Amino acid sequence: MPSDQAPVPDARYAETMAGSSGDFSKEQQDIAVAALILRMGVISERQLSQALSTWTLHGDLPLHEHLVALGQIDVDTCNMLIERSPSLLKEVTPASDTGFTSAETVVARTLDSVDPSGAIARLMGIRSVSGSGANDATGVRASMARYRLIRKLGQGGLGRVWLAYDEHLKRPVAVKEVTAPDQSAAQERFRREAEITGRLEHPGIVPIYHLGEDLETGQSFYAMRFLGKQTLHDTIQEYHERLSEGEHNPMLLRRLLTDFVNVCQAIGHAHSRKVIHRDLKPENVAIDNFGQVIVIDWGIAKVINELQTSDSQSSTHASHPSSQSTMDGQVLGTPLYMAPEQAAGRIDELDERTDIYGLGAILFSILAGCGPHEHTRNASNSVNGRELLTAIAGQPTPNAADVNPDVDPALAAICAKAMAKRQYARYQSASELAEEVQRWMAGEKVDAYRERPEQRLARWIQHHRIASQLVGLVLVTCLVAMTVFVVDSYKARKAARQSRFDQMQAYSRELEVQLKATAESLSKDVRFMSSLPPIQGIIQANGDNAEAEPEDVWRDRLEQIYEEFLRANVEYLSISFTKITDEAAEDVVCVERNARDPAYLRRVPASRLTTHNEPEILAQVSRLSQGDILLAIRSADDKEDDRVEEGVRLVAITPIYDSATGSLFGAAVIAIDLRHQIVDFLTELDQGTSIIQVTDRQGKVWVRDTPEDGVIETNKPTSITSELPELKLFFDDQETKHYSDPSDGVIASKVLLDHFNGTTAVGIVLELVE
């Protein structure tokens, strides 16, 4: 391309290019928000992955709004992420300063800057954002062998890793080189990493092919086997996503545990060479295309007999920017799987058992789907690395069974022992841990878990088949002998039980008859109360008839009749004559029984007469013909004023028409204490074979009769379905009138006191006492 011509970006990338003004695009903002979420632990990586699966980077909806809509974050957290994202993006070079080509988009540049490890790119499904080319390198690493760089695979605080091509052996390799600003400290640490990794020769440890220096730049690099992008972390995430979608395949767990055993064996080899990894986590376990498990990233590995010297040097370099960058990366990633002694900074205590804790943390991730200290971070509300390290060092070790209750208790016990807070309580070698997991996979006893008696018996039977068969034969013989006796006893008990069940059905029918008789008697009485002569006198006094006697005279006569009627019928609570208008109903005459002294009857004065505003009841009454009856049940919750007695009332209403005009004038109303009536019925019944409960139409208990306690009124009704859940469908279905389950000894029925009003249903539930 001529030097005087600027590269022209493709139209599809034009909207993602950063302008010269320094403003950040919507895509850059989304990437920064995702990076902050992972760094601060706002939500887990799996939750973020699930959110990203229903969202696109190049859509109109910003990521923070998408997360708020899903309920993953709240508005305050959203605002905090938006405020902090510009500071994370300030180091991204604008497009005008770099001369991007069409392939070098702002998305790629931003991901390369804020996500050098490639975690966000992997979650978003963008696999090659860091490797559009070798733009920040010479493109070739040359010493005694030559490696041509193809694309960048990842980057950390110490260096970056490239996919390269070995020109001599004609094969792809991975090349890692130093990029830390403090080259003197970084070079020493880099070489040490290569030397330690190179001395470990095991199929489960990444092999080093070559260590050298770039002839042009002088930077150290080493070449190693290229393993691809698949890690144990990816496999674990896929396994738990399948579980969340309902796919329970035990072979998936066994494959993960097999991979874990291979990791233990690789770490056991390293320990035999006096090398500890110190950064064990699923992300540092690669899985190649043929399923081979390989432990990678030995960047902070140490030789045990050199720990003091090496760590002292590392502490000396900690003040340099490059070392600090590595430390930041460890706080972000490693603490989620870090041992307490490592988090507390007790360097002298670090040994093979520190790696055992890391292996236990990997097993925790397999069982629970998250890092063990991800739970610690969430529980302690740790917002920075220091707070999280303090929590790891001081708080109890999390248990996989607390995060995932479905995990096998024996596996959870293995994990808990490997992650014991004290080093002496852990497995003392990686091989011991691997053997324990293999025993579980083979169905053998696990030392870390104390089996229950039935589990020990099942295992004994499995290992002693002949002896168990002989014992079984003896037991069968005894069982056959006992069966005859049991069957005869069972038949006798069944016959006696059936007799009691039939008697209980008779009790249910008798209660139904009593309730219906009460409703019928009440209907007759209210119809009689509506035909009294003083009522028509009051109607005429309310009209234009000048010759009619005054209303007060008629009201006094009607009150006398009502009062005598109440005195003769002690179960009645009140009798009233009500005038119905277009909007409400107003009592004209009302005589009621005192709630505390039933013998005292009171004529309600005109100033205390009630105005009823019940549109549904008024509408029903207005549709009734003369002589028709409307029944209604009202509980204490429905009371309209303090004059209404506590309890359950059965109310009978009949319309009253003007005999002169034939128009609806009002209604006669009688109320009785239904619950007290039910108590009288049950007391007279005097049964002792069942628990009888009388309820409303929804199953709330009014009266309970038991052989032990007798008849009891319930002042605070509770639903009978909490006691007998099988009756929930019965009470929810208004059409079903009867329920019978002889096996459970339960009978239930609904008695409809008014066939035209479904709210007058009374439930009767009888439960056989065994």
Side-chain angles (χ1 to χ4, degrees):
M1 179 184 294
S3 60
D4 58 345
Q5 294 183 2
V8 180
D10 290 347
R12 58 182 175 176
Y13 296 109
E15 295 182 359
T16 65
M17 300 294 288
S20 58
S21 62
D23 295 335
F24 301 117
S25 66
K26 177 257 181 191
E27 287 79 1
Q28 289 178 296
Q29 179 85 8
D30 291 335
I31 294 170
V33 167
L36 287 171
I37 286 173
L38 291 183
R39 293 187 184 186
M40 301 175 65
V42 175
I43 58 177
S44 67
E45 183 177 327
R46 196 194 324 169
Q47 290 174 313
L48 179 60
S49 175
Q50 292 173 348
L52 292 177
S53 66
T54 58
W55 174 86
T56 174
L57 178 66
H58 300 290
D60 296 330
L61 183 65
L63 178 58
H64 57 269
E65 293 184 10
H66 181 63
L67 294 175
V68 171
L70 292 178
Q72 299 275 26
I73 61 175
D74 54 28
V75 177
D76 293 337
T77 304
C78 174
N79 294 334
M80 179 270 293
L81 294 173
I82 295 174
E83 291 176 1
R84 295 192 180 186
S85 59
S87 62
L88 192 63
L89 292 169
K90 65 183 180 181
E91 297 180 0
V92 179
T93 306
S96 58
D97 295 339
T98 59
F100 283 164
T101 65
S102 60
E104 297 170 323
T105 63
V106 170
V107 172
R109 193 72 178 187
T110 305
L111 280 168
D112 207 15
S113 176
V114 305
D115 180 36
S117 65
I120 300 173
R122 175 174 52 80
L123 292 176
M124 290 184 176
I126 306 174
R127 291 293 183 179
S128 59
V129 295
S130 308
S132 56
N135 301 313
D136 48 355
T138 62
V140 172
R141 293 293 172 266
S143 58
M144 294 180 64
R146 297 185 62 86
Y147 302 97
R148 176 167 53 86
L149 305 184
I150 299 175
R151 59 184 175 88
K152 189 165 64 177
L153 299 176
Q155 182 169 340
L158 179 63
R160 57 175 166 247
V161 180
W162 297 88
L163 171 63
Y165 187 73
D166 187 341
E167 298 287 1
H168 286 185
L169 297 178
K170 308 302 181 184
R171 63 179 178 179
V173 295
V175 171
K176 185 172 183 178
E177 62 181 355
V178 180
T179 59
D182 185 357
Q183 290 293 320
S184 59
Q187 292 281 1
E188 175 65 25
R189 181 175 178 183
F190 185 81
R191 284 185 171 275
R192 183 170 183 78
E193 175 186 348
E195 292 170 0
I196 291 176
T197 309
R199 75 174 65 178
L200 302 175
E201 298 179 0
H202 189 275
I205 299 176
V206 60
I208 300 296
Y209 295 150
H210 178 241
L211 171 64
E213 292 184 355
D214 190 332
L215 297 180
E216 296 184 15
T217 64
Q219 291 181 337
S220 295
F221 72 92
Y222 64 80
M224 55 185 169
R225 178 182 171 187
F226 172 62
L227 302 173
K229 297 288 291 184
Q230 182 77 6
T231 67
L232 183 60
H233 174 78
D234 300 325
T235 308
I236 292 172
Q237 293 297 313
E238 179 182 347
Y239 167 66
H240 283 278
E241 286 177 4
R242 288 173 179 264
L243 282 182
S244 63
E245 294 173 359
E247 182 179 348
H248 299 277
N249 186 352
M251 289 304 300
L252 297 177
L253 176 60
R254 291 189 175 273
R255 290 170 190 165
L256 284 174
L257 293 178
T258 301
D259 291 344
F260 174 75
V261 169
N262 293 333
V263 174
C264 292
Q265 293 170 347
I267 297 302
H269 168 78
H271 290 173
S272 69
R273 300 298 181 91
K274 301 300 181 182
V275 175
I276 60 175
H277 190 284
R278 301 200 305 176
D279 194 18
L280 290 173
K281 54 186 176 182
E283 292 90 338
N284 285 344
V285 178
I287 302 177
D288 67 9
N289 295 332
F290 298 97
Q292 184 177 357
V293 176
I294 301 172
V295 181
I296 60 174
D297 198 354
W298 297 77
I300 61 172
K302 296 296 179 182
V303 181
I304 296 177
N305 56 15
E306 298 177 359
L307 272 175
Q308 185 172 1
T309 303
S310 302
D311 287 340
S312 299
Q313 293 173 356
S314 299
S315 301
T316 304
H317 297 313
S319 60
H320 296 288
S322 62
S323 298
Q324 187 59 43
S325 178
T326 301
M327 183 61 67
D328 289 342
Q330 291 171 1
V331 170
L332 287 173
T334 304
L336 295 182
Y337 300 87
M338 186 178 288
E341 64 271 16
Q342 193 174 358
R346 299 193 294 269
I347 298 175
D348 292 341
E349 298 182 13
L350 303 186
D351 57 17
E352 293 93 339
R353 294 171 296 183
T354 302
D355 277 353
I356 299 299
Y357 188 98
L359 291 171
I362 294 177
L363 181 58
F364 186 102
S365 179
I366 292 174
L367 301 179
C370 61
H373 299 312
E374 183 175 328
H375 181 72
T376 303
R377 178 182 61 192
N378 297 338
S380 61
N381 296 319
S382 302
V383 297
N384 57 52
R386 294 183 182 275
E387 292 180 356
L388 178 56
L389 293 176
T390 301
I392 294 171
Q395 292 185 5
T397 301
N399 192 303
D402 295 335
V403 182
N404 181 13
D406 296 330
V407 68
D408 186 275
L411 273 179
I414 295 174
C415 181
K417 182 175 180 179
M419 294 177 59
K421 198 169 188 64
R422 300 300 179 188
Q423 291 174 284
Y424 61 79
R426 303 171 193 164
Y427 294 101
Q428 297 304 298
S429 70
S431 299
E432 185 183 352
L433 173 57
E435 290 174 3
E436 189 85 321
V437 174
Q438 287 175 313
R439 277 195 292 270
W440 181 88
M441 295 172 66
E444 297 294 331
K445 182 180 182 301
V446 172
D447 294 337
Y449 177 64
R450 179 176 295 178
E451 294 180 329
R452 297 188 300 273
E454 61 270 21
Q455 292 174 315
R456 291 198 295 270
L457 176 60
R459 194 177 304 283
W460 184 87
I461 293 174
Q462 183 179 2
H463 288 84
H464 302 82
R465 295 188 178 276
I466 296 179
S468 62
Q469 289 173 358
L470 292 175
V471 172
L473 181 60
V474 173
L475 292 177
V476 168
T477 304
C478 295
L479 182 62
V480 171
M482 293 178 60
T483 301
V484 177
F485 173 77
V486 172
V487 169
D488 290 341
S489 299
Y490 170 75
K491 289 181 178 179
R493 290 195 304 270
K494 185 176 181 181
R497 188 178 186 276
Q498 183 62 41
S499 175
R500 293 164 58 213
F501 188 80
D502 294 340
Q503 187 178 12
M504 191 171 67
Q505 287 181 317
Y507 292 153
S508 177
R509 288 192 293 269
E510 186 172 349
L511 284 175
E512 290 184 32
V513 171
Q514 292 282 4
L515 287 170
K516 290 180 179 179
T518 299
E520 183 178 354
S521 175
L522 185 62
S523 300
K524 292 180 179 179
D525 289 341
V526 74
R527 190 178 287 114
F528 172 74
M529 290 294 105
S530 67
S531 63
L532 295 174
I535 291 179
Q536 292 299 324
I538 294 175
I539 294 175
Q540 293 177 7
N542 275 265
D544 299 331
N545 190 351
E547 297 179 357
E549 292 188 63
E551 180 181 349
D552 292 343
V553 175
W554 291 111
R555 289 182 73 254
D556 183 64
R557 293 174 183 173
L558 189 59
E559 285 175 343
Q560 289 180 6
I561 298 173
Y562 283 177
E563 186 174 346
E564 290 300 323
F565 193 84
L566 282 180
R567 188 171 287 110
N569 297 274
V570 295
E571 70 275 12
Y572 287 10
L573 297 176
S574 65
I575 306 176
S576 60
F577 168 48
T578 301
K579 179 181 180 181
I580 298 177
T581 63
D582 293 338
E583 298 180 354
E586 301 176 356
D587 286 345
V588 177
V589 173
C590 181
V591 179
E592 63 182 12
R593 192 178 302 279
N594 186 271
R596 295 180 178 82
D597 184 6
Y600 174 67
L601 304 178
R602 187 182 76 164
R603 301 182 183 184
V604 179
S607 61
R608 296 292 306 279
L609 290 173
T610 304
T611 299
H612 306 274
N613 186 11
E614 298 177 86
E616 184 177 352
I617 297 296
L618 294 177
Q620 292 178 353
V621 173
S622 64
R623 290 193 295 267
L624 297 177
S625 301
Q626 186 171 357
D628 290 343
I629 306 297
L630 173 67
L631 296 178
I633 295 178
R634 295 177 180 174
S635 65
D637 296 334
D638 302 327
K639 64 182 183 179
E640 299 172 354
D641 55 54
D642 296 336
R643 296 185 292 105
V644 179
E645 181 182 2
E646 297 283 344
V648 179
R649 295 174 295 156
L650 177 61
V651 180
I653 307 172
T654 186
I656 297 176
Y657 288 86
D658 187 338
S659 60
T661 64
S663 61
L664 178 66
F665 180 85
V669 182
I670 299 180
I672 68 170
D673 188 343
L674 180 59
R675 187 167 65 178
H676 186 70
Q677 287 285 97
I678 295 171
V679 170
D680 290 343
F681 296 159
L682 292 174
T683 302
E684 294 176 1
L685 194 61
D686 192 23
Q687 62 86 32
T689 62
S690 61
I691 299 174
I692 302 178
Q693 301 184 78
V694 182
T695 73
D696 65 2
R697 62 190 177 93
Q698 296 175 337
K700 293 183 179 179
V701 179
W702 290 337
V703 181
R704 179 183 177 93
D705 181 16
T706 64
E708 297 84 5
D709 302 326
V711 182
I712 301 175
E713 298 184 33
T714 56
N715 295 324
K716 295 182 179 179
T718 57
S719 177
I720 196 170
T721 57
S722 61
E723 215 178 296
L724 300 171
E726 62 269 25
L727 294 180
K728 186 176 188 311
L729 291 177
F730 171 73
F731 281 101
D732 289 344
D733 186 0
Q734 297 181 1
E735 301 299 325
T736 305
K737 303 303 180 184
H738 296 282
Y739 173 90
S740 179
D741 187 351
S743 61
D744 288 341
V746 177
I747 298 174
S749 60
K750 282 181 282 193
V751 183
L752 197 60
L753 302 183
D754 186 344
H755 293 286
F756 301 101
N757 186 0
T759 62
T760 60
V762 177
I764 301 175
V765 179
L766 297 92
E767 184 180 3
L768 191 64
V769 177
E770 300 295 344

